[in-house]
Amino acid sequence: MFFSVGRTGYQSLQHSAWPFEISLGVVGLASSIVMLLHGNMGIWVPMWYDEVSGMVIMFYFSIFILMHSIISWWMDMVFEGTFMGDYTSFERLNIRWGFKLFVLSEIFFFFFFFWAWFYSGIGEISVKFVGKWPPVGVKAIYPWRVPFLNLLLLVSSGMFSQASKWAVSCHSKELDTKKSGHYKFAALLSMMVSILLGLLFLWVQSEEYYWCSYTIADGVFGSSFYMLTGFHGMHVMVGLGFLLVCWFRLLWSHFSFRRSFLGLQNAIYYWHFVDVVWIFLFIFVYGWPHKLLTGVWLWTY
Amino acid sequence: MIYGVGVKNKLVNLNSKISSFSVDAGTSYLRTGGPSFKSWVHRWLFSTNHKDIGTLYFIFSIWAGLMGTAFSVIIRMELAMPGKMLDDGQLYNLVVTAHGLVMIFFLVMPMMIGGFGNWLIPLMLKMPDMAFPRMNNLSFWLLPVSMLLLLGSAYVDGGAGTGWTVYPPLSSIGFHSGCAVDYVIFSLHVGGVSSILASINFVITTSLMRTGVMLILRSSMLAWCLGVTGFLLIVAMPVLAGGLTMLLSDRHFNTTFFDPMGLGDPILFIHLFWFFGHPEVYILILPAFGIISHVVKAGSSKLELFGKVPMLHAVTSIGFLGFIVWGHHMFTVGMNVDSRAYFSTVTFIIAIPTGVKVFSWIATLAGGYIKNWPMMYWAGGFLFLFTLGGLTGIILASASLDVVLHDTYYVVAHFHYVLSMGAVFAMFAGFHFWYPLLTGVGMNPLWSKSQFFSMFLGVNSTFFPQHFLGMSGMPRRVQDYPDTMHGFNMFSSWGSTLSLVSLFLFLFILWESMLSKRCLIFPMVRCSESEWGARGFPRKFHNESQNPYGMSFEGKNFRRWGVLKPYKAKGH
């Protein structure tokens, strides 16, 4: 990885094996999932105790390959950003906006799941003077208990992560070492609170899943509900992982020099995106079936 | 272009590319002391160089184009005579599906965005590479994976005979109970990820990596078109991903998004698919617009394109309007008449910016010295035939007419005119224009022009009769048809054979150019083509090691900037 910043101010990247390895992992993952969905296709691998499903082995192996390549890639990025000092302001601009575009694509991913929710909710089959939303037999969750708690958890988590960003910004600019250390401690503390609140959200949500009266198989209401909240939960997990990595990088002083905390900033953008999706979920997925805000104007019953 | 006489091994020795690259093509040669397996792997599997990745995309897409053509020839062979040739209707449906998916996702998109885009954008913007070179490589290597999954689906459980639109309930577990459709779903997922990452790369490169004086309205046409295309992809691809995820969960996880028994609706899938599908077809054609702009400008010996800024705005408005017209693919699903009226209207409106572009191209040609190069033949063919295809599109945009013509061969004729004669002709034009830039050698111009004529005859013979077939009611995706429709079908199949032979001729021309090595001495383009502004073709492995320095006069102001001023916000 030498000659890594050209005189152009952009990275002059050397060869990287990770894209190729990711593609190998992806092909293994896709094929193993398809075959697992169709009952292992009779591929049994003999072990000393019993036969093991071949596709499960392939699945875990592909996950391992993918995790190895993805984490190595991100590790390379961390090395390039910190130890090698590759990330000039030009490069940081690119990375920041590139990440925002990625979040935009995620927003549209959620957008269409919401579309499906509204289509089923106010569409011909379910409601137009024919049915009810939620469908008869489905007891909608009362929004002002658990979902509202989740809303408070995520919103406060977002606020704490923003606070940690401010602290890091001050920390990286402060010249007095003692004050700088105080800022770093504050950043670590608020980031840890943010992560803990996020973990609490996940725990509460999983409890709600456990106790919920309807399942994913309960018609289009259940399908859309669990798809929306399930994908949101997955994004919360990914966001928490990102925040956790940022916490450790903060601990190891990656954000303490060069006035650059790109990784932290991206993590917080992602976390805010997750938060905003939850707000929409709260209003339209939990609130609306309970006629929380709308009642009449969306032409529900 | 002026080419050197083809001497066997002296003027340009393609093998000497390796030795002249020994300092350049990655440090792997330095480490291994010369070419070796390891250096090959480092250069071609682990690449972070936009030219190498562009070359990989070209090779991949040409291969896929041949495969897609093979599928299309099978279709035309089936339809050449009444009665069935293939015993199995499912196999025919599978060939139709594979033809569509391969041509769209593995020929047009990789060649235009990955091939031309990767090679030319850093050269046009005078930047060292794309914004994210490693991610560029990832976008490429996910494509063979996607193709493998798609082709694999054809071999298992009867294959996916759903059409490229994969509508439920035909694609649901009840009617395609094997794993073929699951493979197609994953193939499209992987292809979607590849496209989204590539388009993030393109949008960032074209919008942020420009010299300070290269204001956004001064970008080159191809850069702008690819930036807008990238934005369309970022917004539209996740919608396809979501729809396919819903289809997968309907098939395996007991959801009922598209199953009326659970209050779901197959029409939801149609909405979601075409919300992606319509921007997708603009994604296929916008880079072609960019390529044609460059080809027409260079081929008319002009310094600038006619009305470039209105052209840029036209591209942006086509991109934006493309998001709100998806209903014109669904006029027959039982939509409200007011909705149909709305979608018709907005679809008609898209013709306006497209017309601005076509007239601007014609105006660029006017009064110029039109070069007698093969690329101009292809560009002229594009202008005429794409306009014809657009006109049939206007017919289909009218909801009343579309109710009669939906799912008939009229639609097939329309989109093959705009794709097989729009996008593909633009790809040929760009390929003929920039081939010497990529390789440093030239294709025989006389043979190229004859290949153009035979391809022109071939594709027109294939698709023009299909207008009449559609108007007399022949439906799409059928294996057999009433005997009265035999004449036009036979003519169309002869045309497809001619297109196939033209393609063979093209492959021969390509091969012969590599063999004869007529090297490029002077690219006879004017100074406003920045990708040609270098000494020696093919271009070197790395671009310039310094950023460009630009100057511009704007009325009383004189700007003198290098690269974008470093961003001065806090803590970044």
Side-chain angles (χ1 to χ4, degrees):
Chain A
M1 278 194 272
F2 42 93
F3 309 139
S4 50
V5 178
R7 288 169 65 191
T8 56
Y10 291 104
Q11 257 184 312
S12 162
L13 271 180
Q14 299 302 305
H15 310 114
S16 172
W18 314 130
F20 189 68
E21 195 182 339
I22 288 183
S23 66
L24 292 177
V26 164
V27 76
L29 189 70
S31 337
S32 59
I33 290 182
V34 169
M35 289 199 253
L36 278 175
L37 287 172
H38 286 268
N40 193 43
M41 304 304 232
I43 301 173
W44 297 102
V45 175
M47 291 272 160
W48 68 92
Y49 45 89
D50 197 353
E51 283 181 323
V52 174
S53 153
M55 284 301 117
V56 170
I57 294 181
M58 188 167 160
F59 178 75
Y60 283 124
F61 185 59
S62 315
I63 297 264
F64 167 71
I65 299 262
L66 266 179
M67 288 292 112
H68 174 255
S69 48
I70 292 178
I71 291 178
S72 303
W73 187 329
W74 285 336
M75 226 162 60
D76 271 359
M77 284 181 75
V78 167
F79 289 160
E80 286 157 19
T82 56
F83 303 132
M84 293 168 57
D86 271 359
Y87 287 169
T88 58
S89 59
F90 302 148
E91 192 69 41
R92 289 202 293 268
L93 190 73
N94 286 354
I95 294 179
R96 210 168 62 242
W97 280 97
F99 194 76
K100 286 182 189 169
L101 281 177
F102 171 69
V103 170
L104 182 71
S105 78
E106 299 266 86
I107 289 176
F108 273 92
F109 185 67
F110 274 97
F111 159 77
F112 104 93
F113 275 117
F114 274 104
W115 180 347
W117 175 261
F118 283 115
Y119 185 92
S120 314
I122 59 176
E124 305 281 323
I125 288 187
S126 64
V127 174
K128 216 66 174 1
F129 313 121
V130 173
K132 287 176 174 293
W133 187 257
V136 174
V138 172
K139 175 175 171 295
I141 297 177
Y142 185 60
W144 291 109
R145 282 197 276 265
V146 172
F148 187 63
L149 170 66
N150 279 336
L151 181 73
L152 292 176
L153 283 175
L154 274 186
V155 169
S156 54
S157 177
M159 295 198 301
F160 274 102
S161 64
Q162 188 72 21
S164 83
K165 184 167 117 174
W166 290 330
V168 167
S169 168
C170 296
H171 162 66
S172 65
K173 285 198 262 224
E174 180 60 58
L175 295 171
D176 175 30
T177 2
K178 206 150 174 255
K179 275 202 217 151
S180 182
H182 288 154
Y183 281 130
K184 181 170 168 184
F185 177 74
L188 282 171
L189 188 61
S190 43
M191 179 62 90
M192 182 46 73
V193 170
S194 176
I195 294 174
L196 286 175
L197 287 172
L199 283 171
L200 201 56
F201 167 88
L202 278 180
W203 182 74
V204 169
Q205 186 71 344
S206 66
E207 280 291 303
E208 192 184 58
Y209 268 22
Y210 184 74
W211 289 107
C212 187
S213 60
Y214 49 88
T215 69
I216 198 173
D218 279 320
V220 75
F221 184 89
S223 311
S224 315
F225 177 86
Y226 280 102
M227 274 298 211
L228 270 168
T229 52
F231 270 114
H232 177 259
M234 280 192 229
H235 282 74
V236 169
M237 286 188 231
V238 167
L240 276 177
F242 201 171
L243 284 175
L244 199 62
V245 165
C246 283
W247 191 86
F248 278 105
R249 289 187 66 195
L250 185 56
L251 185 68
W252 296 328
S253 304
H254 285 192
F255 300 127
S256 305
F257 307 101
R258 302 169 50 81
R259 303 185 179 196
S260 144
F261 43 95
L262 191 62
L264 185 75
Q265 205 162 3
N266 285 347
I268 293 175
Y269 282 147
Y270 199 75
W271 196 240
H272 286 328
F273 149 69
V274 160
D275 195 6
V276 168
V277 171
W278 182 258
I279 294 176
F280 276 94
L281 276 178
F282 177 74
I283 298 174
F284 292 115
V285 174
Y286 288 100
W288 169 39
H290 243 273
K291 294 201 292 182
L292 171 69
L293 297 169
T294 62
V296 172
W297 65 274
L298 274 174
W299 293 291
T300 61
Y301 61 112
Chain B
M1 312 277 196
I2 294 187
Y3 291 97
V5 174
V7 179
K8 289 291 186 293
N9 52 5
K10 279 311 159 203
L11 274 176
V12 66
N13 185 348
L14 284 174
N15 286 330
S16 74
K17 266 167 68 168
I18 298 177
S19 51
S20 68
F21 273 148
S22 58
V23 182
D24 266 344
T27 53
S28 43
Y29 288 157
L30 287 178
R31 284 194 205 131
T32 59
S36 65
F37 176 65
K38 183 174 173 202
S39 64
W40 181 89
V41 165
H42 274 254
R43 181 164 177 205
W44 292 108
L45 299 184
F46 300 163
S47 172
T48 52
N49 179 273
H50 71 100
K51 301 191 182 82
D52 278 358
I53 296 176
T55 307
L56 286 170
Y57 268 108
F58 270 121
I59 297 175
F60 176 81
S61 54
I62 291 180
W63 193 93
L66 293 174
M67 186 171 65
T69 309
F71 283 131
S72 74
V73 169
I74 297 177
I75 297 174
R76 283 316 321 167
M77 290 299 107
E78 169 64 75
L79 292 175
M81 302 294 284
K84 287 195 197 182
M85 176 187 78
L86 300 167
D87 271 332
D88 185 11
Q90 172 72 9
L91 179 60
Y92 177 76
N93 287 341
L94 179 125
V95 171
V96 167
T97 311
H99 167 68
L101 288 171
V102 164
M103 289 301 216
I104 293 176
F105 289 102
F106 301 125
L107 168 67
V108 178
M109 284 171 70
M111 187 182 272
M112 299 245 226
I113 304 176
F116 288 114
N118 267 318
W119 255 99
L120 297 167
I121 299 297
L123 296 178
M124 288 179 182
L125 300 175
K126 295 277 190 229
M127 281 293 127
D129 205 301
M130 299 288 291
F132 305 118
R134 239 177 335 208
M135 201 161 77
N136 209 0
N137 203 20
L138 177 65
S139 303
F140 172 70
W141 280 109
L142 285 176
L143 280 182
V145 170
S146 176
M147 187 193 279
L148 187 66
L149 290 171
L150 183 68
L151 295 183
S153 84
Y155 288 99
V156 293
D157 278 338
T162 57
W164 86 283
T165 50
V166 211
Y167 284 173
L170 181 58
S171 51
S172 299
I173 199 76
F175 292 103
H176 263 92
S177 48
C179 41
V181 174
D182 296 316
Y183 274 115
V184 169
I185 289 176
F186 275 109
S187 161
L188 292 176
H189 267 139
V190 171
V193 169
S194 156
S195 299
I196 292 177
L197 295 178
S199 37
I200 292 178
N201 215 347
F202 275 94
V203 173
I204 295 291
T205 310
T206 55
S207 54
L208 293 179
M209 286 173 78
R210 282 172 292 110
T211 317
V213 289
M214 195 189 287
L215 306 177
I216 197 145
L217 289 178
R218 287 183 186 149
S219 340
S220 66
M221 273 308 290
L222 186 63
W224 184 272
C225 289
L226 282 171
V228 174
T229 308
F231 187 76
L232 290 185
L233 268 170
I234 293 176
V235 171
M237 266 296 177
V239 178
L240 177 71
L244 292 173
T245 311
M246 283 181 172
L247 186 62
L248 191 69
S249 68
D250 260 26
R251 283 170 61 85
H252 295 290
F253 301 127
N254 284 334
T255 58
T256 51
F257 287 107
F258 311 123
D259 184 0
M261 291 239 285
L263 295 184
D265 194 357
I267 301 198
L268 174 64
F269 186 86
I270 303 184
H271 274 293
L272 294 172
F273 185 84
W274 286 112
F275 187 81
F276 151 76
H278 195 81
E280 168 68 23
V281 308
Y282 287 135
I283 288 162
L284 297 175
I285 203 64
L286 281 177
F289 287 165
I291 294 175
I292 291 291
S293 295
H294 280 262
V295 166
V296 160
K297 180 178 102 169
S300 338
S301 319
K302 295 258 179 105
L303 271 174
E304 53 190 24
L305 198 60
F306 181 92
K308 175 161 158 229
V309 174
M311 287 267 235
L312 297 179
H313 288 310
V315 166
T316 317
S317 47
I318 292 174
F320 165 68
L321 285 170
F323 279 111
I324 52 178
V325 293
W326 76 92
H328 67 230
H329 299 272
M330 329 171 24
F331 281 139
T332 54
V333 301
M335 245 193 319
N336 197 8
V337 67
D338 293 322
S339 308
R340 279 183 271 155
Y342 159 74
F343 280 120
S344 283
T345 314
V346 187
T347 312
F348 285 131
I349 292 179
I350 294 195
I352 300 176
T354 318
V356 164
K357 297 188 70 66
V358 173
F359 285 125
S360 297
W361 287 320
I362 298 176
T364 312
L365 289 170
Y369 172 68
I370 311 289
K371 298 188 165 116
N372 189 17
W373 293 1
M375 76 185 192
M376 286 313 286
Y377 290 66
W378 290 105
F382 172 93
L383 286 175
F384 176 49
L385 296 170
F386 176 78
T387 307
L388 269 188
L391 292 174
T392 54
I394 292 287
I395 307 279
L396 289 167
S398 152
S400 349
L401 287 175
D402 187 81
V403 169
V404 177
L405 295 171
H406 178 73
D407 260 353
T408 62
Y409 260 79
Y410 196 85
V411 178
V412 175
H414 158 67
F415 66 72
H416 278 100
Y417 259 78
V418 292
L419 285 178
S420 170
M421 292 175 235
V424 168
F425 274 36
M427 283 174 356
F428 270 115
F431 197 81
H432 279 275
F433 183 31
W434 282 307
Y435 181 76
L437 185 88
L438 272 53
T439 56
V441 296
M443 293 191 271
N444 186 317
L446 185 62
W447 298 342
S448 300
K449 290 170 197 170
S450 53
Q451 191 253 334
F452 163 75
F453 279 113
S454 77
M455 186 79 170
F456 181 89
L457 269 176
V459 290
N460 272 295
S461 316
T462 313
F463 297 115
F464 198 70
Q466 295 185 355
H467 291 111
F468 304 119
L469 286 171
M471 285 200 285
S472 46
M474 178 172 171
R476 284 175 73 172
R477 297 173 176 158
V478 288
Q479 201 183 1
D480 195 10
Y481 47 81
D483 286 352
T484 52
M485 299 173 173
H486 177 222
F488 285 137
N489 270 304
M490 169 81 109
F491 191 76
S492 176
S493 299
W494 278 110
S496 88
T497 314
L498 181 54
S499 312
L500 182 69
V501 171
S502 319
L503 207 57
F504 292 158
L505 179 57
F506 176 69
L507 291 174
F508 169 73
I509 294 172
L510 204 57
W511 172 75
E512 190 268 348
S513 76
M514 299 274 184
L515 205 62
S516 307
K517 298 182 209 157
R518 291 171 290 265
C519 76
L520 178 66
I521 300 181
F522 302 127
M524 288 166 62
V525 295
R526 301 199 67 173
C527 56
S528 56
E529 313 289 338
S530 58
E531 69 273 13
W532 289 103
R535 281 183 49 201
F537 301 97
R539 299 290 301 258
K540 296 203 310 284
F541 189 76
H542 286 301
N543 293 338
E544 286 72 26
S545 55
Q546 298 185 78
N547 286 331
Y549 187 72
M551 291 189 265
S552 77
F553 292 93
E554 284 148 35
K556 295 206 204 100
N557 302 326
F558 175 54
R559 284 186 205 234
R560 192 174 53 217
W561 287 355
V563 188
L564 292 175
K565 288 187 189 151
Y567 192 62
K568 286 219 168 71
K570 300 166 268 300
H572 293 194

